[in-house]
Amino acid sequence: MTTTVLVTGATGGIGGHLLTALAGRDVTVRALVRDPDRLAGAGVGVEVVRGDLRDPDAVAAALHGVDAAFLNSPSAPDAATTQIAVADAATTAGVNRLVLLSQFAARADSPVRFLRWHAAVEQHVRDLGISHVVLRPNLFLQGLLAFAPLVAATGRFGAPIGDAAVSAIDVRDIADAAAAVLTGAGPDGAVHDLTGPRAVTHAEIAAALAEATGHPVSFDDLTPEAFAAALDGVLPPWQAAGLVEDYAHYARGEAARVDDAVAVLTGHPARTLEEFARDHAAAFAPAGLSTQTFT
């Protein structure tokens, strides 16, 4: 019997890659999205269902007949509450495996609000007793794309992290790991820390972008106050404050550990910073200029 897999957050950075990663597997893929038009090119075999994660009726309908579900939601102040409600619905629907997207170093007593929120969802899922797997990815390399317009325009970007290293991960590897556990890889109840193959500093990130684009890129170590000021008006206050807390966590050296879970789950090594930089070089290159390697 073919397994039916529900993907939430299917129009996001991870969800889109997850649909691709599941395409070659013997599963029926269902995507719950608010705007089905955004998945017009999702490919043959993807069942697109319109609905919002905050709508209990839409969630219940999307979960009907589902064997495994990937739980991810947009960043929002009520993200933990939303995910807990979806986990409850998955339990009621008899889902055989819930794959929860959490965050590296999630814990209830963390000074970082996002890590506390993820820890609360993890604990709730454990208490439900539903068969589940937790994925805890570290800093997303694709998160650097938020700096791309600034890098393209000025050749610089900044953050309050100093020379601390972070084992940042490519979201394509998160998607590949999620596809593996959604289709049965690994034991129930497992918690997998997902990282890149090595910890990198932001100065090394700048060097990799420079090499990939053929144009100088430098990193500025900002104070937390300067970073917060730069985010003012760009992100909602709650999200900007959380990002400052995230970077304090990175600066303390708490996100440098490297784990082999990507290779174990997927059968391929985690993508490197240099691969990310080459694949996204066009986004960081000055407008109208080609990308080329320094000689």
Side-chain angles (χ1 to χ4, degrees):
M1 183 173 65
T2 302
T3 297
T4 298
V5 175
L6 175 67
V7 177
T8 62
T11 57
I14 296 172
H17 289 296
L18 178 54
L19 295 181
T20 300
L22 288 168
R25 298 172 182 262
D26 185 22
V27 295
T28 297
V29 181
R30 182 181 299 169
L32 175 64
V33 296
R34 286 177 291 183
D35 182 5
D37 290 341
R38 293 183 61 187
L39 285 185
V44 177
V46 176
E47 178 187 349
V48 180
V49 179
R50 182 193 297 272
D52 189 288
L53 287 177
R54 297 181 181 86
D55 181 345
D57 292 336
V59 170
L63 286 166
H64 180 71
V66 164
D67 300 290
F70 178 68
L71 178 50
N72 182 25
S73 65
S75 184
D78 63 347
T81 301
T82 299
Q83 291 184 11
I84 284 171
V86 176
D88 289 345
T91 303
T92 300
V95 171
N96 293 325
R97 173 168 279 198
L98 181 66
V99 176
L100 174 63
L101 186 72
S102 183
Q103 187 175 342
F104 187 91
R107 69 175 200 270
D109 62 347
S110 174
V112 182
R113 69 193 66 191
F114 299 144
L115 299 183
R116 294 195 302 272
W117 295 355
H118 283 297
V121 179
E122 286 187 25
Q123 185 60 56
H124 185 81
V125 169
R126 283 192 291 271
D127 292 343
L128 284 174
I130 187 174
S131 173
H132 70 280
V133 175
V134 176
L135 300 179
R136 289 180 174 174
N138 208 344
L139 174 67
F140 299 173
L141 283 172
Q142 276 75 1
L144 297 167
L145 292 169
F147 295 113
L150 180 65
V151 172
T154 68
R156 315 181 71 87
F157 70 103
I161 192 172
D163 60 359
V166 181
S167 54
I169 183 170
D170 193 299
V171 299
R172 293 171 291 184
D173 290 328
I174 302 172
D176 288 348
V181 295
L182 281 165
T183 54
D188 289 335
V191 177
H192 300 290
D193 290 330
L194 304 182
T195 74
R198 73 180 195 278
V200 296
T201 67
H202 275 47
E204 290 173 322
I205 291 171
L209 294 175
E211 178 67 23
T213 62
H215 302 281
V217 178
S218 59
F219 168 68
D220 299 318
D221 181 32
L222 303 179
T223 65
E225 294 76 17
F227 189 54
L231 297 173
D232 186 33
V234 177
L235 295 177
W238 66 269
Q239 194 170 22
L243 189 58
V244 172
E245 292 171 359
D246 265 341
Y247 265 90
H249 159 65
Y250 303 144
R252 291 191 293 268
E254 297 169 354
R257 184 173 57 80
V258 174
D259 197 284
D260 66 352
V262 168
V264 170
L265 292 172
T266 70
H268 67 70
R271 292 170 174 86
T272 65
L273 165 63
E274 290 73 22
E275 288 178 89
F276 164 82
R278 288 194 297 269
D279 291 345
H280 297 83
F284 294 93
L289 297 180
S290 62
T291 58
Q292 60 185 23
T293 302
F294 285 131
T295 58

